């Protein structure tokens, strides 16, 4: 499953820091994904083939915003924290008056280890430009990553200065360094992240076909997709029932 953000070098490093207990037990996860492409009444303008099905609730899925971008936000939160979402209480609807499809979902989360979380995904945030933000707070400190500056990760530990970790820093693990292409400071982005996912799948398949030992790669699998679909369905059910599920 091509959750591209999961293959950014700094996201891989953040995941490893959580696994290495650098910030202690995870207590809070905040994730948001904001876009502005549907902030106006597209329904009132001329329709293309794409907008024709996007704006039709019968064809655009359970919740348009969740299938488009919310799925990536949820996976990012679980991927870095190492925890599945166990319970949610959600508000799902439309920010744009009169819209029939769901363009906004906000939710309170409870993760598998009991950590709390907040989730926001919308395609109707006027002025937003594919803005993804992740914060993971542990008992000893927090991690902060922003999609606008994907090559950098902030690590703030109690009683210590905030550290800015950059893709290409020589002390990073070989796996994280290998996920980058250029020296520190040179821009990289989503194309390289997708390439990392495809390369990991290819390496695994080649090892299988050659009868070699298979090194487990962290690319998103079908199980992650199934968990995301369950998350989406539970968010919508929570909206209808008005309870934690």
């Amino acid at each position: 499953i091509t959750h591209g953000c999961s293959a950014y070098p700094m996201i891989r490093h953040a995941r490893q820091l959580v696994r290495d207990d650098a910030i202690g037990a995870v207590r809070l996860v905040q994730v948001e994904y904001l876009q502005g492409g549907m902030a106006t009444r597209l329904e009132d303008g001329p329709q293309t083939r794409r907008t024709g099905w996007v704006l039709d609730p019968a064809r655009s899925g359970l919740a348009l915003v969740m299938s488009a971008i919310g799925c990536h936000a949820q996976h990012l939160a679980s991927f870095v924290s190492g925890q599945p979402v166990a319970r949610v209480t959600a508000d799902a609807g439309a920010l744009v008056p009169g819209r029939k499809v769901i363009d906004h979902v906000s939710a309170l989360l409870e993760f598998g280890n009991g950590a709390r979380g907040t989730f926001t995904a919308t395609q109707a945030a006027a002025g937003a430009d594919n803005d993804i933000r992740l914060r993971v707070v542990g008992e000893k400190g927090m991690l902060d990553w922003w999609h606008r500056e994907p090559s950098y990760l902030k690590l703030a530990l109690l009683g210590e200065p905030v550290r800015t970790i950059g893709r290409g820093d020589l002390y990073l693990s070989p796996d994280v360094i290998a996920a980058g292409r250029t020296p520190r400071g040179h821009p990289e982005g989503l194309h390289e992240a997708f390439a990392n996912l495809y390369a990991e799948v290819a390496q695994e398949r080649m090892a299988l076909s050659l009868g070699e030992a298979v090194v487990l790669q962290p690319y998103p699998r079908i199980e992650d997709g199934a968990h995301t679909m369950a998350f989406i369905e539970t968010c919508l059910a929570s909206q209808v029932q008005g309870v934690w599920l």
Side-chain angles (χ1 to χ4, degrees), residues 1-224:
I1 298 176
T2 49
H3 290 301
C5 287
S6 68
Y8 279 110
M10 287 297 91
I11 287 298
R12 293 289 175 88
H13 186 55
R15 182 173 186 255
Q16 191 59 53
L17 287 172
V18 172
R19 288 188 165 193
D20 291 343
D21 200 39
I23 62 171
V26 174
R27 292 177 173 175
L28 174 68
V29 181
Q30 296 178 310
V31 64
E32 61 181 31
Y33 196 155
L34 310 181
Q35 289 182 343
M38 296 185 66
T40 59
R41 283 279 305 174
L42 300 179
E43 294 89 336
D44 297 335
Q47 301 296 304
T48 65
R49 288 185 178 181
R50 178 181 179 277
T51 57
W53 70 260
V54 163
L55 296 170
D56 181 358
R59 292 188 287 170
S60 60
L62 294 175
L64 175 62
V65 68
M66 295 296 275
S67 58
I69 62 175
C71 56
H72 299 297
Q74 176 275 316
H75 178 263
L76 182 63
S78 290
F79 183 78
V80 174
S81 69
Q83 296 294 327
V85 178
R87 292 201 306 156
V88 305
T89 181
D91 173 31
L95 296 184
V96 176
R99 176 162 287 162
K100 295 180 180 180
V101 295
I102 295 174
D103 64 20
H104 164 265
V105 174
S106 287
L108 299 177
L109 314 178
E110 182 181 318
F111 289 85
N113 68 338
R116 296 298 193 257
T118 61
F119 170 98
T120 299
T122 181
Q123 294 174 291
D129 186 17
N130 209 59
D131 197 358
I132 310 170
R133 192 74 179 254
L134 174 71
R135 297 182 184 92
V136 181
V137 181
E139 60 183 334
K140 298 188 291 188
M142 67 176 290
L143 299 165
D144 189 348
W145 182 82
W146 189 31
H147 188 249
R148 298 287 184 85
E149 298 179 352
S151 294
Y152 298 95
L153 172 71
K154 289 185 178 180
L155 170 63
L157 299 175
L158 282 172
E160 298 184 16
V162 177
R163 293 168 53 193
T164 299
I165 304 167
R167 174 193 50 75
D169 284 349
L170 297 180
Y171 61 83
L172 297 173
S173 70
D175 289 345
V176 171
I177 292 177
R181 305 294 192 283
T182 59
R184 193 184 202 274
H186 293 273
E188 288 189 7
L190 192 60
H191 287 166
E192 290 83 3
F194 278 131
N196 288 336
L197 294 178
Y198 300 145
E200 289 172 351
V201 173
Q203 290 167 8
E204 189 176 271
R205 296 301 182 269
M206 285 190 292
L208 286 169
S209 65
L210 295 172
E212 299 176 350
V214 177
V215 177
L216 187 63
Q217 303 288 349
Y219 65 83
R221 288 168 164 75
I222 191 65
E223 292 83 3
D224 299 298

